Amino acid sequence: MTRRRLNPAADPVLVIATHNPGKLREIEALVAPYGFSAVSAGALGLPEPAEDGTTFIENARIKALAAARASGKPALADDSGIAVEALHGAPGIFSARWAGPGKDFAAAMDRVRRELSWRGAEEGARAHFVSALTLAWPDGHCEDFEGVSHGTLTFPPRGERGFGYDPIFVPEGGARTYAEIDPAEKNRTSHRADAFRQLDAACLA
Amino acid sequence: MTRRRLNPAADPVLVIATHNPGKLREIEALVAPYGFSAVSAGALGLPEPAEDGTTFIENARIKALAAARASGKPALADDSGIAVEALHGAPGIFSARWAGPGKDFAAAMDRVRRELSWRGAEEGARAHFVSALTLAWPDGHCEDFEGVSHGTLTFPPRGERGFGYDPIFVPEGGARTYAEIDPAEKNRTSHRADAFRQLDAACLA
């Protein structure tokens, strides 16, 4: 498969198609070494498109294409969430929506606990974080990547770092939640890092 | 947990809150032994509500409550679909929507194959069918049940029976797809039968 590559000498500005400050911080750290000048869709005043796709990648495409077309520059979007196996992949693409307009992730994590409890599962339930990354160009071309991080859930939530569902997720082989580990360590091992390594190999390196 | 029970002597008419003829046929066979007079939401001319929930059970509740309130009678709804593990549970609650307005399940099954292929998986991928059943009363009370049937996927699709994704799903322990087995056998072993057994034990028997 031939991938279209992104060259920071020709396209020095990369639009980060997110309005989520936690994601923006992680993606800026990931693209920093390549010499792009990263600017967020929020800082450019671009509107947030309706994320009405049925998969992570469809939603990443919607966001990346909207930002690339509105800005005239290449744009990178991440759609991510947590898929709980005993919940058939929920909340999945609805991970942010379970937190409601007030972004109440304590309530969202409690809903996960209640949904598991109703099905007779809870502590140690298997889950995985998914990050779909789409790099889109103003002409509509897209390159898609999907990264995964497997682990288990723990209740009650633990830790103050990270964002979203990080306080209930213990990555495989570890004992601390994503909200307890060093952000640099999360950025080396996370679903987003996994997707970014693929993007790097195909379109950047 | 105290469950509200349904008594066919007091409430002889049960509304089946579906406009899907395949589901209607299976649910009518499941409720027939109890002596209800089953009537479908379609036959009553009830509108189809927007299924905008984020889980199977939310969508089953939306359909059951809409039918119970509009008809003034107890209503039973099923929301079901197939969750492919390597696709993080997709198509899941979007199983019908992947077939589009023309209900083109050949195209939907081909999309499953392409999504698996893009991720380096395909033949033998693990999947499970989910059936969420909600029994709703006109006063808004709901009883929810969830049944599951585990299996693997096979391509190309095989068999002419059943409906939806049945031609690519081989239940655990079997060799034939859901579209190849006898409908009576499917109705004894399926996700819908699993959910119905729970409903039966809690609300009917």
Side-chain angles (χ1 to χ4, degrees):
Chain A
M1 185 157 48
T2 308
R3 300 283 208 171
R4 190 186 287 187
R5 302 180 73 81
L6 194 63
N7 176 359
D11 277 312
V13 176
L14 180 62
V15 178
I16 312 299
T18 184
H19 291 72
N20 174 326
K23 275 189 196 174
L24 179 63
R25 197 166 57 236
E26 292 193 3
I27 298 173
E28 281 177 337
L30 288 166
V31 301
Y34 299 89
F36 291 106
S37 169
V39 55
S40 76
L44 289 174
L46 304 181
E48 285 189 77
E51 298 178 29
D52 54 5
T54 66
T55 63
F56 291 106
I57 284 180
E58 281 184 352
N59 282 334
R61 281 193 165 213
I62 288 167
K63 291 185 275 194
L65 279 169
R69 287 178 167 146
S71 67
K73 303 191 181 310
L76 177 62
D78 162 282
D79 196 60
S80 51
I82 191 162
V84 181
E85 295 175 21
L87 305 184
H88 323 302
I93 61 169
F94 301 111
S95 294
R97 273 164 276 185
W98 278 25
K103 302 189 195 313
D104 183 351
F105 281 95
M109 291 186 283
D110 193 56
R111 176 164 178 194
V112 170
R113 189 191 55 73
R114 284 183 285 110
E115 296 262 359
L116 284 169
S117 167
W118 184 79
R119 289 168 179 82
E122 191 161 343
E123 190 67 28
R126 290 191 53 78
H128 57 277
F129 270 112
V130 180
S131 164
L133 286 177
T134 294
L135 188 57
W137 279 260
D139 67 0
H141 184 85
C142 287
E143 296 287 354
D144 305 313
F145 306 90
E146 191 177 80
V148 174
S149 173
H150 290 278
T152 54
L153 300 184
T154 186
F155 298 93
R158 299 199 314 258
E160 302 295 331
R161 290 163 154 175
F163 58 96
Y165 296 79
D166 284 355
I168 57 172
F169 183 78
V170 178
E172 233 165 40
R176 289 171 302 159
T177 70
Y178 260 180
E180 292 176 316
I181 66 177
D182 184 63
E185 182 184 340
K186 182 185 168 196
N187 242 8
R188 279 194 303 275
T189 61
S190 73
H191 49 302
R192 197 162 289 116
D194 181 25
F196 196 78
R197 260 189 300 274
Q198 299 172 46
L199 182 150
D200 170 69
C203 300
L204 290 174
Chain B
M1 184 158 47
T2 307
R3 300 283 208 171
R4 192 187 288 188
R5 302 180 74 81
L6 194 63
N7 176 0
D11 277 312
V13 176
L14 180 62
V15 178
I16 312 298
T18 184
H19 290 71
N20 175 328
K23 275 188 196 174
L24 179 63
R25 197 166 57 237
E26 292 193 4
I27 297 172
E28 280 176 338
L30 288 165
V31 303
Y34 299 90
F36 291 106
S37 169
V39 53
S40 76
L44 290 175
L46 304 181
E48 285 189 79
E51 299 178 30
D52 55 3
T54 66
T55 64
F56 291 104
I57 285 179
E58 281 183 351
N59 283 334
R61 282 193 165 212
I62 288 167
K63 290 185 276 194
L65 279 168
R69 286 177 166 147
S71 67
K73 303 194 181 307
L76 177 62
D78 161 281
D79 195 61
S80 52
I82 191 163
V84 181
E85 296 174 22
L87 305 184
H88 322 301
I93 61 170
F94 301 110
S95 294
R97 274 164 275 185
W98 277 26
K103 303 192 196 308
D104 183 351
F105 281 96
M109 291 186 284
D110 193 55
R111 177 165 177 192
V112 169
R113 189 192 54 74
R114 284 183 285 110
E115 296 260 359
L116 284 169
S117 167
W118 185 80
R119 289 168 179 83
E122 191 162 341
E123 190 67 27
R126 290 191 53 77
H128 58 276
F129 270 112
V130 179
S131 164
L133 286 177
T134 294
L135 188 56
W137 279 261
D139 67 0
H141 184 86
C142 287
E143 296 287 353
D144 307 312
F145 305 90
E146 191 177 82
V148 174
S149 172
H150 290 278
T152 55
L153 299 184
T154 186
F155 299 93
R158 298 197 317 257
E160 303 295 331
R161 291 165 154 174
F163 58 97
Y165 296 79
D166 284 356
I168 57 171
F169 182 79
V170 178
E172 233 165 40
R176 289 172 301 159
T177 70
Y178 260 179
E180 292 176 317
I181 66 177
D182 185 63
E185 182 184 340
K186 182 185 169 196
N187 241 8
R188 280 194 302 275
T189 60
S190 73
H191 49 301
R192 197 163 289 113
D194 180 25
F196 195 78
R197 261 191 298 276
Q198 299 172 48
L199 182 150
D200 169 69
C203 300
L204 290 174

